[in-house]
């Protein structure tokens, strides 16, 4: 069942970026983000240059921009925090559209937005142009500890399984007339979340025991290996 899981971010294509080795793309993403994070917030031109480079990579990938933009909703918490920061930060105050805002807060907000936007867009581009299994193989080639790679492999494999079970629980609640319209219904959501966690934990235990019964010793067998 693992063959069909973990591909929601991937965009099927045949661009040079799709064909590039996964470990090189991972190294490129890591290097790019290290440079972005190390850039001072007031280097506006540098962030503009980074964005142009990233847009060039997106164009090379042939992934539709709308495909990436729809998935950048994950950045919303960073955007909310950045919008609040100029109002709560200390320091010199400046007038912007009739509002008194903190100058250091504005600068920090720009840094957060710029870094988050570049990071999310770069990560989504990597995910859109690289199959999950190729990413895991790239991590192994980069000598990431085998146990961590295995944990990520199972996360990719069973993410859709857990998500599907969560959706079925939601449908079951709604079929009984439940609707989470106000905080009074939150305890029901909390109990459902707890039940989902317990089911996922028990499934993990069963999978682990099944692996042990088949000779698992802490390392995954080579693909295509036979006795």
């Amino acid at each position: 069942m693992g063959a069909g899981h973990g591909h929601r971010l991937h965009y099927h294509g045949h661009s040079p970026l799709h064909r590039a080795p996964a470990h090189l793309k991972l190294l490129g993403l890591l290097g790019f983000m290290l440079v972005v994070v190390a850039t001072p917030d007031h280097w506006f031109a540098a962030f503009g240059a980074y964005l142009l480079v990233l847009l060039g990579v997106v164009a090379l990938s042939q992934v539709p921009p709308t495909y990436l933009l729809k998935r950048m909703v994950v950045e919303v918490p960073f955007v909310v925090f950045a919008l609040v920061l100029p109002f709560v930060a200390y320091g010199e105050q400046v007038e912007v559209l009739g509002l008194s805002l903190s100058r250091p807060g504005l600068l920090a907000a720009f840094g957060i937005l710029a870094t988050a936007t570049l990071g999310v867009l770069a990560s989504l581009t990597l995910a859109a142009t690289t199959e999950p299994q190729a990413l895991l193989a790239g991590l192994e080639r980069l000598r990431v500890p085998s146990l961590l790679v295995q944990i990520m492999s199972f996360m990719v494999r069973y993410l859709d399984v857990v998500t599907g079970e969560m959706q079925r629980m939601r449908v079951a609640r709604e079929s009984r007339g439940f609707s989470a319209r106000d905080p009074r219904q939150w305890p029901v959501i909390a109990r459902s979340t707890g039940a989902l966690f317990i089911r996922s934990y028990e499934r993990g235990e069963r999978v682990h025991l099944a692996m042990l019964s088949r000779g698992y010793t802490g390392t995954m067998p080579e693909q295509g290996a036979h006795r």
Side-chain angles (χ1 to χ4, degrees), residues 80-99:
V80 173
F81 179 75
L83 292 177
V84 172
L85 195 57
F87 294 94
V88 299
Y90 295 101
E92 179 186 353
Q93 299 292 308
V94 294
E95 292 289 333
V96 179
L97 299 177
L99 299 174

Side-chain angles (χ1 to χ4, degrees), residues 126-139:
L126 173 67
T129 58
T130 315
E131 290 277 4
Q133 294 304 320
L135 283 174
L136 295 173
L139 291 173

